[in-house]
Amino acid sequence: MAGDSHKKTFLILTVFISIIAVGLTVAAFSTDNWVTFTGSKSNNTGCDKNISDDACTTYGSFGLFRGDNGINYYFGMRLRISQVICTDGWCTYYTVRTEETLDTEAGKDYIKNISSIYTETKDSGENVHEWEYGLFGFGYWVSILVMLSLGIVWGLVTISFTVFNIFGKPIETITGPLGLYLWNLLGLIFMSIGVILFAVLFQTNFAENVLPQNDYKYHTFRTESSLDYSFYFTVGSLVGFLLNLVLLMFSGYSVRCACTQEANKAIDNGIILY
């Protein structure tokens, strides 16, 4: 009995950790602080710092779907909003002034125009990159969303089956110890893939530039970016799944067929049908 109580204590801990892990990923989806940035004009012509401390500067942050930023071309800070819009295999954070309406169709037309310029420039032999035009791959972005979503799914499955193991008597191997290891391992794998994919996207597309192409090129703004707390929420979720696996190992829960135990109990109780 003491052994069963010891195991259940560890299972209860894994339930709480799984709830936290799922909550962190949901919070990451719903917050817009995956990347934060500040910047200024590399060519400060016309930028008189005596007029304003934020003359010719920019700042902002964005998440998986939208963002907020401000930019000062010298005429005062302009507040703007961004939204991820995708078409023709490309995505971008389409940006407008806060008093304007984010038009999806206008955003798609913008992507088509910018991607066409990027393709022509690349085909002409110039050494250009997607980030210079504020573009990133649609398939890559969707892969990040799918991996993180599957992390949430396996987290919920982990919670359900762990609670079942605490209060019930699983008779199938997959619903017993093997399942607990499997669900947590799957959660760890998918969360790890999602985190790594976004980290790579940041290094290849956002570390150099997060501004729309007209801000980056025509107004010569340059930004310094860093990963923000929404991203680290997913890292915390990943650690949660890993911690669950460690707790399962220390709990004494071995991977064995639960149905064998139930059959032995039936024999011990003399419940045998001839």
Side-chain angles (χ1 to χ4, degrees):
M1 294 298 291
D4 290 340
S5 176
H6 171 78
K7 292 177 181 179
K8 287 186 177 181
T9 299
F10 275 88
L11 291 183
I12 292 172
L13 284 175
T14 63
V15 170
F16 281 110
I17 292 173
S18 297
I19 292 174
I20 293 173
V22 171
L24 285 173
T25 309
V26 172
F29 267 102
S30 59
T31 52
D32 301 320
N33 290 83
W34 283 70
V35 174
T36 185
F37 65 91
T38 58
S40 60
K41 287 189 68 173
S42 58
N43 178 1
N44 288 325
T45 302
C47 292
D48 187 350
K49 293 297 181 180
N50 293 323
I51 294 178
S52 172
D53 290 337
D54 60 10
C56 299
T57 61
T58 183
Y59 70 92
S61 63
F62 57 87
L64 293 175
F65 305 103
R66 63 174 305 279
D68 300 280
N69 64 81
I71 193 165
N72 186 343
Y73 293 120
Y74 175 73
F75 301 107
M77 188 63 69
R78 301 178 181 183
L79 300 180
R80 311 187 301 183
I81 54 176
S82 302
Q83 177 179 311
V84 174
I85 294 179
C86 302
T87 188
D88 293 345
W90 292 105
C91 295
T92 191
Y93 282 88
Y94 182 58
T95 304
V96 299
R97 297 277 294 274
T98 52
E99 63 268 23
E100 300 176 12
T101 302
L102 273 167
D103 187 337
T104 301
E105 292 304 316
K108 290 181 178 180
D109 290 339
Y110 170 82
I111 293 175
K112 291 177 181 178
N113 179 53
I114 292 300
S115 62
S116 176
I117 295 173
Y118 163 70
T119 302
E120 291 175 4
T121 306
K122 185 176 180 180
D123 289 345
S124 66
E126 294 188 36
N127 185 25
V128 294
H129 307 278
E130 296 93 333
W131 57 263
E132 296 180 58
Y133 295 81
L135 300 171
F136 51 96
F138 170 73
Y140 197 96
W141 181 69
V142 170
S143 297
I144 294 172
L145 300 182
V146 170
M147 293 299 106
L148 296 178
S149 298
L150 287 174
I152 294 176
V153 170
W154 292 120
L156 294 174
V157 171
T158 296
I159 294 170
S160 301
F161 278 96
T162 306
V163 170
F164 177 59
N165 274 265
I166 293 172
F167 297 103
K169 294 182 178 180
I171 61 174
E172 297 292 338
T173 305
I174 199 64
T175 61
L178 176 61
L180 299 184
Y181 280 99
L182 178 60
W183 314 136
N184 280 288
L185 181 60
L186 288 172
L188 175 64
I189 290 173
F190 285 109
M191 286 303 303
S192 298
I193 294 174
V195 167
I196 292 171
L197 287 177
F198 188 85
V200 172
L201 179 65
F202 171 78
Q203 288 296 329
T204 55
N205 286 70
F206 301 142
E208 295 288 343
N209 172 51
V210 298
L211 295 173
Q213 193 251 6
N214 60 330
D215 293 332
Y216 174 80
K217 185 175 181 180
Y218 303 128
H219 300 290
T220 62
F221 273 90
R222 298 296 184 270
T223 59
E224 294 182 1
S225 310
S226 61
L227 293 168
D228 207 0
Y229 65 82
S230 297
F231 169 78
Y232 291 109
F233 282 166
T234 59
V235 176
S237 179
L238 184 159
V239 172
F241 284 112
L242 179 60
L243 184 57
N244 276 351
L245 289 170
V246 173
L247 287 175
L248 286 172
M249 288 188 288
F250 278 99
S251 70
Y253 250 78
S254 59
V255 182
R256 60 183 183 278
C257 183
C259 56
T260 304
Q261 292 181 327
E262 294 300 316
N264 291 335
K265 289 180 181 178
I267 294 173
D268 292 337
N269 293 327
I271 307 176
I272 303 176
L273 297 179
Y274 292 93

